[in-house]
């Protein structure tokens, strides 16, 4: 069985549906090319909330998944310091690694 990977992305109100689907497709393509099963993609719809992020952390804790894919670290947060803090939270609390498609 292939290892699981979770996706996480922000979907601002002004993002066209085609753009959201393209980003989801890129995450799926990465998973397939790297022998993962993309379990689910957590979508954050509100800029100031992190409810989907909290759900992601819980899912990582409940499963054997040890990888998270994001289209960009900006999907986690807009500032570098907050991006670093959230990546560290994923690494420390859920023992998972973050892969950012824009850094490949």
């Amino acid at each position: 069985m292939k290892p699981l990977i979770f996706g996480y992305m922000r979907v601002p109100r002004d993002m066209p549906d085609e753009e959201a689907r393209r980003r989801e497709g890129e995450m799926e393509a990465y998973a397939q090319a790297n022998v993962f099963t993309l379990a689910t993609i957590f979508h954050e719809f509100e800029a100031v909330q992190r409810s989907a992020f909290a759900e992601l952390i819980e899912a990582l804790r409940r499963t054997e998944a040890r990888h998270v894919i994001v289209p960009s670290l900006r999907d986690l947060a807009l500032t570098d310091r907050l991006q670093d803090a959230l990546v560290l939270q994923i690494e420390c609390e859920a023992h998972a690694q973050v892969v950012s498609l824009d850094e490949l």
Side-chain angles (χ1 to χ4, degrees):
M1 185 165 138
K2 297 179 193 176
L4 296 177
I5 189 169
F6 287 111
Y8 177 86
M9 64 182 274
R10 290 203 174 271
V11 185
R13 291 182 185 167
D14 61 345
M15 179 182 284
D17 290 345
E18 299 80 29
E19 174 70 8
R21 283 193 294 276
R22 182 188 64 76
R23 295 174 88 204
E24 290 170 343
E26 289 174 349
M27 287 189 280
E28 180 65 44
Y30 174 87
Q32 289 177 0
N34 290 278
V35 196
F36 287 105
T37 297
L38 183 60
T40 192
I41 299 172
F42 292 88
H43 297 86
E44 204 75 75
F45 295 100
E46 297 294 327
V48 296
Q49 292 185 336
R50 299 214 185 289
S51 57
F53 184 82
E55 291 175 26
L56 168 65
I57 295 291
E58 278 305 309
L60 287 164
R61 288 178 179 156
R62 283 191 323 267
T63 67
E64 295 179 14
R66 295 294 167 250
H67 294 87
V68 175
I69 186 167
V70 294
S72 167
L73 290 179
R74 291 183 60 83
D75 283 272
L76 293 173
L78 295 179
T79 66
D80 291 344
R81 292 183 88 177
L82 190 50
Q83 289 169 9
D84 292 344
L86 294 176
V87 168
L88 187 61
Q89 182 178 356
I90 290 169
E91 290 173 350
C92 292
E93 291 184 22
H95 309 288
Q97 176 185 2
V98 177
V99 176
S100 177
L101 290 178
D102 69 346
E103 293 185 352
L104 296 178

